Amino acid sequence: IVGSDWMWLLGLDPIGNLAWLPFGYNNDASSLNGYSFVPPIFTVALEIYFYAIAPFMVIGTRRAWLFLFLSLAYYVVITLTGLNGIAWSYHFPLAPMIYFALGGIVCHLTVLETIRFNRRSLAMLFVALIIFWLSETAISFPLLVLALVSIPVLFKLSGRNMVDRYIGHYSDPVYLIHFPVMRLLEHHGTEPKMLFPYTLALTISCAFLLHHLVENPIERIRRCVRISGD
C-alpha cells in the first residue's frame, strides 16, 4: 500500500522508461496508476503517513497548531509557484495533510476539549480557513467548512450507536472493492444503466465476506497477540 500514491505522479515515457508524469499534466494513459488493480488505494497510503507522524504532531495542542500551519504552508507554496494541478493538490503526499491537520484541531476543540473556544483559538482557525480558501486545493471551501462543522456533531450523535458501528466495519472493504468490481463488470459487458446496481450489490456482498472471513479472524489473532504480550 505504502508508495501507491506515487503511482499518480510517475509514468512511462514513449520508450517505456520510468518518468515524472504527474496525473492531469500529461497523457494520463501513461501514468502508473493505470496499472493499479485498486487505484483508490493511494488514499490509504496517505492515511498511513499521517498515522506515522500523528503521535509527534497532533498529540499536543501546540504541535497540532504547528502541524496545521505547516500543512497550509505547502498549499501557499504550490499556489504561489503555479503548481495548480490535481497531482499537487490531491495526489502528492503532502497535499492531504491539511485535512488531517484541520481534523486534529477540530478534534481538540470539540471532542477532546483540550483547546478552548476563545478568541485566540477561533482567530487562528479563521486565519487557517482564509489561507485554505485563497489556496489551490482539491476540496472546495464550502465543503470543507461543512465537514468541519458537521463531523464532530455526527460523531457525538452516532459514536455509541451500534448500528452505525456495524455499518462502519464495512467502510474500508466497500471502498477498496468497489473499483475492481466495477471494472470487472465493465469488462464483461454490463450495460451502463445496470452498472451501478450490480456494482453496489456485488461490492456489499464481497465486503461482507471479507469482513467476516478475513478481517475478523485477523482481528482475533491480533487481540491474542496483544493480550499475550501484556
Side-chain angles (χ1 to χ4, degrees):
I1 296 174
V2 173
S4 58
D5 49 313
W6 287 93
M7 296 180 71
W8 293 83
L9 302 171
L10 301 173
L12 300 177
D13 63 17
I15 60 175
N17 294 324
L18 190 65
W20 180 258
L21 296 172
F23 183 82
Y25 280 91
N26 301 278
N27 180 13
D28 296 337
S30 63
S31 296
L32 288 186
N33 71 87
Y35 299 92
S36 175
F37 187 65
V38 186
I41 195 69
F42 81 96
T43 59
V44 182
L46 300 176
E47 285 187 60
I48 292 174
Y49 300 152
F50 170 70
Y51 295 147
I53 66 173
F56 307 99
M57 299 301 295
V58 186
I59 193 170
T61 56
R62 291 185 178 180
R63 293 185 181 185
W65 283 117
L66 176 63
F67 181 43
L68 173 60
F69 283 95
L70 286 176
S71 302
L72 283 168
Y74 167 77
Y75 278 93
V76 171
V77 170
I78 65 172
T79 301
L80 294 178
T81 55
L83 297 174
N84 54 352
I86 192 171
W88 299 104
S89 62
Y90 190 60
H91 296 118
F92 194 72
L94 293 177
M97 292 304 161
I98 178 60
Y99 308 113
F100 291 117
L102 283 168
I105 289 296
V106 171
C107 181
H108 276 290
L109 281 168
T110 60
V111 179
L112 301 176
E113 297 181 353
T114 49
I115 296 178
R116 296 181 179 180
F117 279 99
N118 53 33
R119 292 182 179 179
R120 180 182 178 183
S121 61
L122 292 178
M124 293 176 69
L125 184 58
F126 178 76
V127 170
L129 291 175
I130 291 298
I131 296 174
F132 181 93
W133 178 44
L134 297 175
S135 301
E136 176 68 28
T137 57
I139 297 180
S140 67
F141 181 73
L143 182 60
L144 179 77
V145 173
L146 177 63
L148 292 177
V149 173
S150 62
I151 289 178
V153 177
L154 293 174
F155 179 80
K156 288 187 176 182
L157 292 176
S158 63
R160 297 184 178 180
N161 188 296
M162 297 304 296
V163 176
D164 181 76
R165 287 192 176 189
Y166 180 78
I167 295 174
H169 288 314
Y170 300 98
S171 60
D172 282 341
V174 166
Y175 179 70
L176 296 176
I177 291 173
H178 80 279
F179 199 91
V181 168
M182 181 178 64
R183 283 293 176 86
L184 183 65
L185 291 173
E186 288 177 338
H187 177 73
H188 286 281
T190 303
E191 297 181 7
K193 65 179 181 180
M194 298 303 299
L195 186 61
F196 175 76
Y198 284 172
T199 299
L200 181 63
L202 282 175
T203 297
I204 293 177
S205 300
C206 292
F208 180 85
L209 293 175
L210 263 181
H211 176 64
H212 290 280
L213 299 180
V214 179
E215 284 187 317
N216 277 348
I218 291 177
E219 178 63 18
R220 286 194 292 268
I221 294 174
R222 187 185 69 83
R223 289 179 180 176
C224 291
V225 172
R226 184 177 62 184
I227 293 173
S228 62
D230 294 338

